[in-house]
Amino acid sequence: MTGPGPAATGPDPAVTGPDPAGLPPDPWAALRSLTRARVALGRAGDALPTARELEFRVAHAAARDAVHAPLDPAVLRAALPGREVLEVHSAAPDRATYLQRPDLGRRLAEGTALPPTGADLAVVLADGLSPRAVHEHGPGLATALLDRLPGWSVAPLVVASQARVALGDAIGAALGVRAVVVLIGERPGLSAADSLGAYLTWDPRPGRVDAERNCVSNVRPPHGLTHEQAAATLAALLTAARELGASGVALKDEGPALPAGAG
Amino acid sequence: MTVRRATVGGHTHEFPSLVELLAKASPARSGDVLAGCAAGSAAERVAAQTVLADLPLATFLDEQVVGYDEDDVTRLVLDTHDRAAFAPVAALTVGEFRDRLLQWAAAGDEAAISALAPGLTPEMVAAVSKLMRTADLVAVGRRTRVVTALRGTLGLPGRLASRLQPNHPTDDPLGVTASVLDGLLHGCGDAVVGINPATDSPARTVELLELLDAVIRRYEIPTQSCVLAHVTTTLRALEAGAPVDLVFQSVAGTQPANRSFGVTLDLLAEARAGALELGRGTVGRNVMYFETGQGSALSAGAHLGVGGRPVDQQTLEARAYGVARHFAPLLVNTVVGFIGPEYLYDGRQVLRAGLEDHFCGKLLGLPMGVDVCYTNHAEVDGDDTDTLTLLLGAAGCTFVIAVPGADDVMLHYQSLSFTDVLTARQVLGLRPAPEFEAWLARMGLLGDDGRVRELAADAPAARELLAAARP
């Protein structure tokens, strides 16, 4: 659901009058055309009209469901035929704990075993705050990215549940890779519940901070970046990170410019 | 360091420091669990409250929560403490202080409650709030009078003001204007017309300030504008001669948290002096606007007190008010549900925090407002924000924040809608700020019953205002 529709209630006849100012036929529509904000919704007494109220609830419900629908690794496996996929879980046992304890979402569940690979790169598909975003855009972006990195050795793909971005540090360290890219669902807003973010970290290990990562956000075709656009930016960042031996603020300064809104 | 203890249900609970005592006495919330300072059981929480109730209020003048030598917020609070103002409650325990406040509130003795502010410290106020229930916070809040003014007067009895927040994802001038007009047509904007800019660029800040100033002057609206840029950006706008009504800044309750915001007390004083020099007020001289919110210190890793112990987020929030009051602000608001469920998990926690923040801010002498809001990963919805808004209206809250249709399309969170403000005013019999109310009447926006009319687009007032949205 996007912006509001026409106002549902009629005008107050006591305050209507002729139109010497020569306004367009529906000035409320004209006001709405100027912004995505929910302006000129009309009123039912001092509240919103039913139709406008329900539009808002539709958008909020989509965002809520995007946060709470569980990640389904089978969906991701089916969309990644021919690729080896490992599954891990963070130390947050359930969604309620995940939402309240970001520290647990950054650690692997006790007893998690991942094989050391010595590969150049690991790609993690993580639920984050929108499993729906990973379902819809994770496999497409992962495939587009790996297609652009023919010279790189790649560890098995990892699907991570109840994961924060920094869980990629623990995964990357366990796999013994030089770089990790975490594809993770972003916090849903009312206008977008399926936006994916991609975070690149060179030499991943627990304790890395956000300033040591590069981010490409708003992967959400057709409204945001396409998979191909995001993959091209990530591949360029990875190549630059390999030359520099680092990611994050240093890389952003010397590497290719990120597309607008991708920082 | 004094170990304090209480026996509840046959088990003795010990609290080795004031820091732990306050934390464990705090009503449950996710941020204190995350910080590792929350009570481990319901019995431990009430044991801490029992100990706290018997603690002399004056203890907070001698025993610090965050060290005096390490933290300039502590120094500011203690160095400016007014013993004469403290005298009426100096001999009381925290529990007796709660009782006294409730007695004054029941008797309608606003003068007695309101005169305490310079004599109270943030820790005293946080402590007493932890003993109070929802209705206590409302009852005392409503009898704590804080009046401020610049071009309108805020905080008078029977009034509920609003910040009109016309945010736009790209700061587009016409997009911003559309939201401003929609808010004015709903009788909102008497506290401030305040934009969160999409970027912190000084040039953009000046453009937005000029845009808002032009609308306010065109219609002679008795309100003030604000672009909520960083204080250093506003300082540059002041140097450039921009029409700055209010200097905005987010503040927190410890020196390292403020440092993480890029703020020092000197910087705030410098910006305030600059805004005062412009002399843009007509009915008052309060030129600062602060935002705060429980959890901000923890999220910056700047939440530790004496002995390296984590301080609870509600006490730290009250300390932020200790910073704000030093600068005589026109407006202060807590952004109560913005920071996320790891600090306030659900509607119950947001409700409690909003009422605590309003109570503590008012008691410390601040013109306290609340951004009643939530994100989509918190267990909060419009029913919860309705409950909090109506309770805040009953508590005499100075102002709330409203955005078109409750949907902030730039910051991607939900606050109140303009109609939520109308509903709260109608249900509770509250009115806009007096100067703004008179302007609404002059513009033909008020009906005979004092309510904001719903206008047809070709009504004279609507026609006049909507003309500002034409390129």
Side-chain angles (χ1 to χ4, degrees):
Chain A
M1 209 69 182
T2 54
T9 55
D12 175 353
V15 288
T16 57
D19 189 14
L23 289 181
D26 183 355
W28 299 134
L31 202 64
R32 284 192 289 270
S33 73
L34 298 176
T35 177
R36 283 166 45 203
R38 293 170 193 253
V39 297
L41 299 183
R43 284 163 54 183
D46 285 336
L48 288 182
T50 303
R52 302 292 85 78
E53 173 61 28
L54 289 173
E55 282 170 2
F56 180 89
R57 289 190 202 176
V58 165
H60 187 233
R64 297 284 297 148
D65 287 347
V67 171
H68 288 279
L71 184 71
D72 186 348
V75 168
L76 299 176
R77 283 179 185 279
L80 292 160
R83 305 229 184 239
E84 190 181 348
V85 175
L86 306 174
E87 292 176 30
V88 300
H89 207 289
S90 81
D94 53 49
R95 203 63 175 159
T97 308
Y98 171 80
L99 290 171
Q100 293 176 79
R101 293 289 305 272
D103 54 326
L104 297 181
R106 299 183 190 117
R107 302 205 310 257
L108 283 165
E110 207 167 315
T112 302
L114 287 169
T117 64
D120 295 326
L121 176 69
V123 177
V124 179
L125 291 89
D127 50 2
L129 288 170
S130 175
R132 183 181 145 195
V134 192
H135 288 157
E136 294 185 10
H137 306 303
L141 177 52
T143 303
L145 175 63
L146 295 179
D147 286 349
R148 285 175 179 270
L149 298 170
W152 291 59
S153 61
V154 181
L157 296 174
V158 179
V159 171
S161 297
Q162 311 296 11
R164 303 267 171 182
V165 170
L167 188 68
D169 297 342
I171 294 169
L175 291 170
V177 294
R178 299 171 73 192
V180 65
V181 171
V182 178
L183 310 180
I184 189 164
E186 294 177 341
R187 191 183 91 194
L190 287 194
S191 54
D194 63 338
S195 186
L196 190 75
Y199 291 80
L200 156 63
T201 309
W202 189 261
D203 188 15
R205 48 189 158 79
R208 287 285 184 209
V209 297
D210 288 344
E212 296 172 304
R213 312 184 200 285
N214 297 88
C215 172
V216 177
S217 66
N218 195 30
V219 181
R220 188 174 71 96
H223 306 287
L225 294 180
T226 66
H227 300 164
E228 287 300 328
Q229 286 171 327
T233 304
L234 283 168
L237 284 167
L238 278 165
T239 304
R242 183 162 62 178
E243 282 168 21
L244 192 66
S247 55
V249 178
L251 172 59
K252 215 170 187 176
D253 288 343
E254 299 177 24
L258 292 177
Chain B
M1 198 149 304
T2 319
V3 176
R4 301 175 174 93
R5 51 181 66 84
T7 301
V8 170
H11 184 79
T12 300
H13 299 268
E14 293 196 344
F15 306 100
S17 76
L18 211 48
V19 178
E20 275 137 320
L21 181 65
L22 285 168
K24 298 203 185 275
S26 213
R29 67 205 63 200
S30 50
D32 289 341
V33 176
L34 183 62
C37 65
S41 66
E44 189 185 24
R45 177 166 293 114
V46 76
Q49 291 171 348
T50 304
V51 173
L52 193 59
D54 288 337
L55 190 77
L57 209 49
T59 307
F60 293 103
L61 297 177
D62 304 322
E63 199 175 328
Q64 274 102 57
V65 171
V66 181
Y68 181 92
D69 292 331
E70 297 83 56
D71 197 280
D72 64 2
V73 176
T74 305
R75 290 197 293 277
L76 180 70
V77 165
L78 292 178
D79 294 351
T80 59
H81 181 253
D82 182 340
R83 288 208 170 251
F86 182 55
V89 293
L92 304 183
T93 63
V94 176
E96 290 165 348
F97 182 41
R98 171 183 172 275
D99 296 345
R100 187 66 54 87
L101 287 171
L102 290 168
Q103 286 160 0
W104 279 329
D109 195 345
E110 293 186 357
I113 299 175
S114 309
L116 294 175
L120 300 176
T121 69
E123 287 82 358
M124 292 175 192
V125 169
V128 75
S129 80
K130 294 175 196 297
L131 302 182
M132 289 189 149
R133 283 183 21 203
T134 295
D136 302 342
L137 296 170
V138 171
V140 177
R142 124 183 226 103
R143 294 299 184 186
T144 313
R145 189 64 46 213
V146 180
V147 178
T148 59
L150 189 64
R151 285 201 289 271
T153 309
L154 302 170
L156 295 171
R159 309 277 173 172
L160 174 64
S162 63
R163 167 179 162 197
L164 196 177
Q165 182 168 297
N167 293 347
H168 187 277
T170 61
D171 295 331
D172 176 69
L174 280 174
V176 167
T177 303
S179 292
V180 171
L181 299 178
D182 198 42
L184 292 173
L185 286 164
H186 283 84
C188 290
D190 40 349
V192 63
V193 180
I195 304 183
N196 299 93
T199 73
D200 205 58
S201 112
R204 181 60 59 82
T205 295
V206 171
E207 280 171 31
L208 290 171
L209 283 167
E210 286 172 349
L211 169 77
L212 296 180
D213 186 52
V215 173
I216 286 172
R217 282 190 297 138
R218 175 172 181 167
Y219 299 107
E220 299 177 331
I221 311 170
T223 188
Q224 37 281 322
S225 74
C226 187
V227 175
L228 284 77
H230 192 267
V231 62
T232 53
T233 305
T234 303
L235 270 169
R236 290 180 63 180
L238 278 165
E239 283 162 16
V244 175
D245 290 337
L246 292 173
V247 174
F248 170 81
Q249 184 55 47
S250 294
V251 293
T254 66
Q255 183 175 348
N258 285 321
R259 195 190 307 125
S260 81
F261 289 162
V263 184
T264 63
L265 302 176
D266 288 344
L267 206 50
L268 295 174
E270 181 188 350
R272 175 167 182 262
L276 276 174
E277 204 169 301
L278 294 186
R280 293 176 61 82
T282 52
V283 293
R285 281 167 55 82
N286 299 107
V287 294
M288 300 298 282
Y289 175 16
F290 295 112
E291 279 191 341
T292 64
Q294 292 191 26
S296 58
L298 174 58
S299 72
H303 61 295
L304 300 181
V306 170
R309 295 177 169 88
V311 180
D312 71 272
Q313 66 185 31
Q314 193 260 332
T315 298
L316 290 171
E317 172 73 4
R319 287 172 53 91
Y321 309 152
V323 175
R325 69 173 171 177
H326 186 66
F327 300 97
L330 180 78
L331 304 164
V332 179
N333 67 263
T334 173
V335 191
V336 73
F338 183 74
I339 192 163
E342 61 268 46
Y343 302 96
L344 295 168
Y345 180 59
D346 57 15
R348 182 184 168 93
Q349 294 184 7
V350 167
L351 178 80
R352 173 81 203 179
L355 293 169
E356 287 168 349
D357 292 354
H358 174 261
F359 166 86
C360 290
K362 276 280 174 68
L363 209 50
L364 287 168
L366 290 177
M368 202 65 198
V370 177
D371 188 359
V372 178
C373 62
Y374 59 102
T375 57
N376 291 320
H377 62 318
E379 296 294 315
V380 185
D381 62 18
D383 290 323
D384 298 307
T385 55
D386 284 349
T387 308
L388 177 53
T389 303
L390 292 174
L391 284 169
L392 285 169
C397 184
T398 307
F399 71 104
V400 290
I401 289 182
V403 302
D407 176 7
D408 190 307
V409 294
M410 198 282 282
L411 293 174
H412 302 295
Y413 78 121
Q414 287 87 251
S415 182
L416 300 184
S417 68
F418 300 135
T419 45
D420 291 334
V421 176
L422 294 180
T423 295
R425 285 177 179 161
Q426 178 221 124
V427 168
L428 299 166
L430 301 172
R431 296 152 63 190
E435 298 86 352
F436 191 82
E437 186 178 41
W439 175 81
L440 290 171
R442 277 205 304 280
M443 291 293 290
L445 291 169
L446 285 191
D448 294 336
D449 57 359
R451 288 177 54 234
V452 175
R453 292 173 129 137
E454 185 184 0
L455 294 182
D458 59 351
R463 218 165 44 227
E464 195 180 341
L465 279 169
L466 290 176
R470 276 182 292 176

